[in-house]
Amino acid sequence: MDEYNRFVDWDKMDVTVQSQDIKELTCTEFQELKQLARQGYWAKNHSLRAKVYHRLISNIPCRTVTPDANVYRDIVVKIVGKRSSSSLPLPEFVDDSLVPTYCLNAEGIGAVRKIILCIANQFPDISFCPALPSVIALLLHYSKDEAECFEQVCRILACNDPSKRLIDQTFLAFESSCMTFGDLVNKYCQAAHKLMVAVSEDVLEVYSDWQRWLFGELPMVYIARVFDVFLVEGYKVLYRVALAILKFFHKVRAGQPMESDSVQRDIRAFVRDIAKSVSPERLLEKAFAIRLFSRKEIQLLQMANEKALQQKGITVKQKR
């Protein structure tokens, strides 16, 4: 297929959507790039998407000392040793039960675990990062080898532009994002919010799944389309897509009886099987049709939620 196919199980991929017509991307203007990302311009060509991802990720402003591919080659043998990669225990900051395989082959599935361990070694400050396995599994599709994937993920984690929030790496950041998502649902999805309040004992617990819907339950084709836009536009896109998911869930499930203890499971199942009701294009259309707060306003909301959590003393995940 191309040089970026080492970790892909092509039998599980829908190759009918692949097109060989589009070979390169020449635009550099942000607005044009934004339009192309939203339209899925590079989604139809595997190697073009890989090249675009490399370009977008290499432009992320990072800390001076950001681990690169050579660091990975130096440390991976020491960290993994002779252990089988499929049985490697994962660090506590990710959810071991939620490591998506995204049409990866056996080598790719093992590589996800190896890369997570090497990132844990290089980023001791990460204390909670449930999105990480999904991001690694997705980027392996567009990497020539493990070291290259490691370097790309490190750049996303080491982004030091305060206006460009990418992936939550602490429980405080994650939990405040869940509260912010709840605030956004309350404002932009009032019908869905009323339903959630009516059927769930703890509505925040339902909303605290919002990143799991994206980086865990959403099928590969969908999360890749979300990621295309995320790399261009940043974190706000994730809120948009999660709000759109909730709107579609409400539309499909409104009027059907729901149990309070199953609403969380119901949404997860809906997202896993989203292809039955909504195409990736339709999901993104809905997401961008929401007239959302500005990035600045969302940032302020997030900071206020973080402050409220700190005042309550909630900064680390409590053991259940």
Side-chain angles (χ1 to χ4, degrees):
M1 201 86 179
D2 59 37
E3 59 194 319
Y4 300 102
N5 65 2
R6 177 173 167 184
F7 302 109
V8 183
D9 183 341
W10 284 102
D11 294 338
K12 291 180 185 159
M13 293 281 282
D14 182 2
V15 283
T16 56
V17 298
Q18 292 294 304
S19 147
Q20 299 310 313
D21 303 344
I22 317 160
K23 291 283 186 275
E24 57 186 306
L25 182 78
T26 48
C27 88
T28 50
E29 288 298 311
F30 175 72
Q31 284 305 331
E32 194 186 343
L33 209 53
K34 188 167 142 177
Q35 285 313 111
L36 293 174
R38 289 184 179 195
Q39 289 160 13
Y41 179 81
W42 49 83
K44 290 185 176 66
N45 185 308
H46 191 79
S47 62
L48 176 66
R49 187 184 244 155
K51 286 168 190 155
V52 173
Y53 279 10
H54 284 239
R55 190 175 116 187
L56 293 172
I57 292 170
S58 63
N59 288 336
I60 293 173
C62 287
R63 300 199 282 262
T64 329
V65 189
T66 296
D68 60 10
N70 288 328
V71 169
Y72 183 82
R73 293 184 192 105
D74 285 347
I75 64 174
V76 66
V77 178
K78 293 181 208 128
I79 289 169
V80 176
K82 292 189 167 64
R83 294 177 294 174
S84 150
S85 52
S86 60
S87 61
L88 290 171
L90 294 183
E92 280 193 346
F93 63 68
V94 297
D95 181 348
D96 205 346
S97 66
L98 204 67
V99 181
T101 53
Y102 292 151
C103 313
L104 292 171
N105 57 25
E107 187 187 1
I109 292 166
V112 174
R113 301 181 91 84
K114 286 160 74 176
I115 294 168
I116 291 173
L117 283 180
C118 291
I119 283 172
N121 171 272
Q122 292 294 303
F123 288 83
D125 294 347
I126 296 181
S127 56
F128 194 74
C129 193
L132 188 62
S134 164
V135 172
I136 294 171
L138 180 65
L139 286 176
L140 274 169
H141 276 259
Y142 306 103
S143 303
K144 291 174 189 163
D145 56 25
E146 291 170 18
E148 189 176 81
C149 180
F150 169 84
E151 180 172 321
Q152 296 203 71
V153 178
C154 287
R155 290 194 68 81
I156 291 171
L157 292 169
C159 170
N160 63 358
D161 176 352
S163 68
K164 203 179 174 87
R165 183 191 179 109
L166 289 174
I167 294 178
D168 294 331
Q169 298 169 45
T170 65
F171 186 66
L172 184 63
F174 172 81
E175 193 68 358
S176 66
S177 80
C178 297
M179 289 170 70
T180 304
F181 179 67
D183 294 335
L184 296 174
V185 175
N186 193 9
K187 181 160 174 64
Y188 297 102
C189 308
Q190 286 174 348
H193 183 62
K194 276 185 189 141
L195 177 71
M196 295 301 122
V197 171
V199 298
S200 56
E201 285 168 27
D202 181 356
V203 77
L204 189 62
E205 198 168 320
V206 175
Y207 296 154
S208 70
D209 250 10
W210 80 278
Q211 286 194 29
R212 179 186 175 131
W213 304 338
L214 305 175
F215 297 113
E217 308 295 0
L218 213 51
M220 157 82 196
V221 178
Y222 290 74
I223 187 59
R225 286 292 304 274
V226 173
F227 209 75
D228 291 347
V229 191
F230 169 69
L231 285 178
V232 176
E233 298 185 43
Y235 200 87
K236 185 177 168 183
V237 169
L238 304 180
Y239 283 134
R240 284 188 173 283
V241 176
L243 289 167
I245 284 172
L246 203 55
K247 279 178 180 282
F248 279 119
F249 173 78
H250 175 255
K251 191 176 169 184
V252 170
R253 292 298 304 269
Q256 295 177 22
M258 263 190 276
E259 301 298 320
S260 63
D261 60 345
S262 71
V263 78
Q264 214 169 1
R265 284 201 309 275
D266 289 350
I267 301 177
R268 287 175 187 177
F270 170 76
V271 180
R272 269 197 303 279
D273 295 329
I274 196 166
K276 290 177 183 170
S277 46
V278 185
S279 68
E281 290 71 25
R282 186 81 191 85
L283 181 65
L284 288 177
E285 255 170 48
K286 185 76 147 176
F288 292 113
I290 301 166
R291 298 183 67 82
L292 203 57
F293 284 151
S294 70
R295 190 175 279 107
K296 186 89 187 127
E297 286 169 310
I298 288 176
Q299 233 173 343
L300 290 170
L301 194 55
Q302 189 102 14
M303 281 157 65
N305 283 329
E306 242 174 71
K307 202 171 172 186
L309 285 166
Q310 279 170 319
Q311 283 167 348
K312 285 184 195 162
I314 301 170
T315 54
V316 293
K317 188 171 171 65
Q318 309 300 311
K319 292 262 186 284
R320 296 214 166 166

